[in-house]
Amino acid sequence: MTKKVLVFGMTENPGGVESVIMNYYRNIDIKRVHFDFLCNSYEPIAYEDELTSNGSKCFHFVARSKNPIKYHKELKTFFKKHADEYSAIWVNVCSLANIDYLKLAKKYGISKRIIHSHNSENMDSKLRGKLHEYNKKRLWKYATDFWACSEEAAKWFYDEKLLKKVVIIKNAIDINRVSFDEKKRQHYREKINAKDRFVIGNVGRLHFQKNQSFLIDIFNDYLKEDPTAICILIGDGEDKHKLINKVKQYGIEDRVLFLGVQNDIQGWLSAMDLFLFPSVFEGFGLAALEAQGNGVPVLASKDVMPYELKINDNFHFFGLGYSANSWAQKISEIKKNVDRIASDQIKHNFTNSGYEIKVEAQKLEDFFIN
């Protein structure tokens, strides 16, 4: 008999949490475990066409922030009508500011109620930060299972009583979906007129958490070493206009390309010569893991990402306490001494470290079945 699981955590933006969910979704036997999705927006979520073509349903609701009364009414009606169809609910969030899904799942009889932490610090307003702390103390009443993407994400999400119950669910990936592709490399490099130039890239929401403002400072200093270099920023977000203005102030508009949300991450990673990831906090840092799946050298902020994120030898940590110029010097050093990692070595590294999706997806599938 197929087990049905209700999943919350997908948004319109194809970001890190969405990628984690999709990596597992694509590698679980959907004849054994069927996923449906709760979406707090009337707009289509990322990958919705793929989900519905596989038989999954996407149930859309108004966001609580837009219309609280309508939101509560729609949500309650849904759970009252459909809760008995599901053996589990899997809630993927970056904050505990809203645990309504768990509360209603308990009230209407979903026996397995999983909360999954995907971040290690508050990335929202002070009010949502206070709600997070308030709900942290009550979480044990509503959830039955406590998951996190890393130890850091667990420590921020759960109080000491719950920490011993936390299960780390690795942000495993399908390395074949991001592996290096020489043809795509040439195609995208020609597209941005970077045939023989050094390309520094970043993939992520344009948001203070991802620290693209400092990245632009670093790149501006690096241009003194290599005036022909190009920087590509893939993603969208609330900091976009601020970042564009900063680039204009530096007068490097022809060197920094804002490419928006892109579907072919494999191709753009292949086009890069260095993946720069100076985030100020991360639950894990899936984008840097995907970059390693492609083999491109990575330079990431030290004491921010969990150390287990380092899978390949060409992954480098560097402290945010250092100046932009020091980061630029580090890039020059990496450029001289580090190459891409070969695909057979990547496969070996990912399998040994437990970040190969097929193995981890089987564990998740067994959990939902048993």
Side-chain angles (χ1 to χ4, degrees):
M1 181 180 168
T2 304
K3 292 293 179 96
K4 289 184 76 177
V5 179
L6 194 58
V7 182
F8 177 78
M10 299 290 285
T11 70
E12 299 152 45
N13 177 51
V17 175
E18 291 79 5
S19 295
V20 171
I21 295 169
M22 290 304 296
N23 284 336
Y24 278 100
Y25 178 85
R26 289 169 178 143
N27 288 280
I28 281 176
D29 184 349
I30 57 175
K31 291 176 184 171
R32 298 183 80 211
V33 181
H34 173 91
F35 291 104
D36 288 334
F37 295 84
L38 279 175
C39 321
N40 63 347
S41 167
Y42 289 137
E43 296 299 317
I45 56 169
Y47 313 105
E48 184 158 337
D49 288 346
E50 180 182 344
L51 297 172
T52 53
S53 69
N54 284 327
S56 293
K57 293 176 183 173
C58 296
F59 300 102
H60 291 270
F61 304 92
V62 69
R64 183 171 73 168
S65 58
K66 291 187 176 175
N67 191 330
I69 295 169
K70 190 178 182 185
Y71 156 82
H72 282 291
K73 187 178 178 183
E74 287 183 340
L75 210 57
K76 186 176 179 181
T77 301
F78 171 83
F79 276 96
K80 201 171 181 179
K81 187 176 179 182
H82 296 288
D84 61 355
E85 300 169 21
Y86 298 96
S87 59
I89 183 169
W90 177 21
V91 178
N92 296 268
V93 283
C94 293
S95 162
L96 293 171
N98 183 358
I99 57 170
D100 292 343
Y101 304 97
L102 291 172
K103 288 158 78 173
L104 286 165
K106 181 180 181 182
K107 182 176 180 179
Y108 291 101
I110 298 180
S111 59
K112 195 57 99 170
R113 301 178 298 277
I114 306 148
I115 182 75
H116 191 160
S117 166
H118 289 272
N119 218 339
S120 60
E121 197 172 309
N122 182 36
M123 56 189 284
D124 295 310
S125 64
K126 285 183 180 177
L127 173 61
R128 284 181 65 82
K130 286 179 180 176
L131 286 169
H132 172 86
E133 292 303 321
Y134 175 70
N135 286 327
K136 193 174 177 177
K137 297 178 178 71
R138 309 159 61 228
L139 193 59
W140 63 272
K141 294 181 183 179
Y142 305 109
T144 58
D145 292 79
F146 309 91
W147 293 359
C149 61
S150 67
E151 297 291 345
E152 285 81 0
K155 285 171 189 170
W156 183 60
F157 241 64
Y158 305 115
D159 64 25
E160 286 190 24
K161 293 177 192 171
L162 293 178
L163 273 176
K164 57 182 177 289
K165 296 183 179 181
V166 173
V167 175
I168 302 298
I169 303 296
K170 292 186 175 180
N171 285 359
I173 64 169
D174 181 353
I175 54 175
N176 295 321
R177 290 180 71 89
V178 293
S179 61
F180 178 73
D181 187 308
E182 182 62 41
K183 283 185 180 176
K184 286 186 176 184
R185 176 177 171 83
Q186 298 308 326
H187 169 73
Y188 285 115
R189 287 174 73 88
E190 282 176 21
K191 199 171 180 178
I192 60 171
N193 192 28
K195 209 167 181 183
D196 300 314
R197 296 153 86 179
F198 191 70
V199 177
I200 294 170
N202 175 273
V203 179
R205 184 176 164 198
L206 303 181
H207 183 271
F208 81 89
Q209 177 195 1
K210 305 297 180 183
N211 211 11
Q212 286 101 346
S213 180
F214 184 51
L215 184 151
I216 290 166
D217 293 335
I218 296 166
F219 180 68
N220 185 58
D221 276 345
Y222 178 73
L223 284 172
K224 294 164 191 169
E225 304 279 324
D226 182 1
T228 67
I230 286 182
C231 177
I232 57 175
L233 299 176
I234 295 169
D236 205 349
E238 47 269 65
D239 282 3
K240 182 177 180 179
H241 295 297
K242 187 168 76 175
L243 295 170
I244 288 172
N245 286 335
K246 185 166 202 173
V247 167
K248 284 178 181 174
Q249 285 168 11
Y250 277 134
I252 54 173
E253 300 98 310
D254 60 335
R255 294 282 183 269
V256 180
L257 307 180
F258 291 86
L259 300 178
V261 174
Q262 295 288 329
N263 292 323
D264 188 8
I265 297 301
Q266 177 196 32
W268 285 110
L269 287 172
S270 297
M272 295 175 195
D273 298 304
L274 179 98
F275 189 88
L276 186 54
F277 202 55
S279 297
V280 291
F281 60 92
E282 287 284 349
F284 183 73
L286 187 71
L289 191 71
E290 290 180 338
Q292 289 181 89
N294 186 271
V296 63
V298 178
L299 179 58
S301 35
K302 189 180 180 183
D303 300 326
V304 170
M305 325 281 171
Y307 187 74
E308 58 264 32
L309 179 58
K310 180 181 169 121
I311 310 293
N312 294 339
D313 289 340
N314 65 350
F315 184 104
H316 302 267
F317 287 112
F318 203 63
L320 286 175
Y322 288 102
S323 66
N325 184 258
S326 296
W327 277 73
Q329 294 301 318
K330 185 69 178 174
I331 292 171
S332 296
E333 183 188 313
I334 292 169
K335 183 184 176 185
K336 287 174 192 169
N337 302 310
V338 180
D339 292 320
R340 251 187 169 83
I341 300 286
S343 57
D344 55 345
Q345 185 63 51
I346 292 168
K347 188 170 184 180
H348 171 80
N349 294 349
F350 272 74
T351 303
N352 278 8
S353 59
Y355 286 96
E356 207 291 309
I357 189 63
K358 287 177 175 56
V359 176
E360 298 306 304
Q362 186 61 56
K363 293 178 189 175
L364 210 69
E365 184 179 315
D366 292 344
F367 170 84
F368 285 123
I369 291 294
N370 298 322

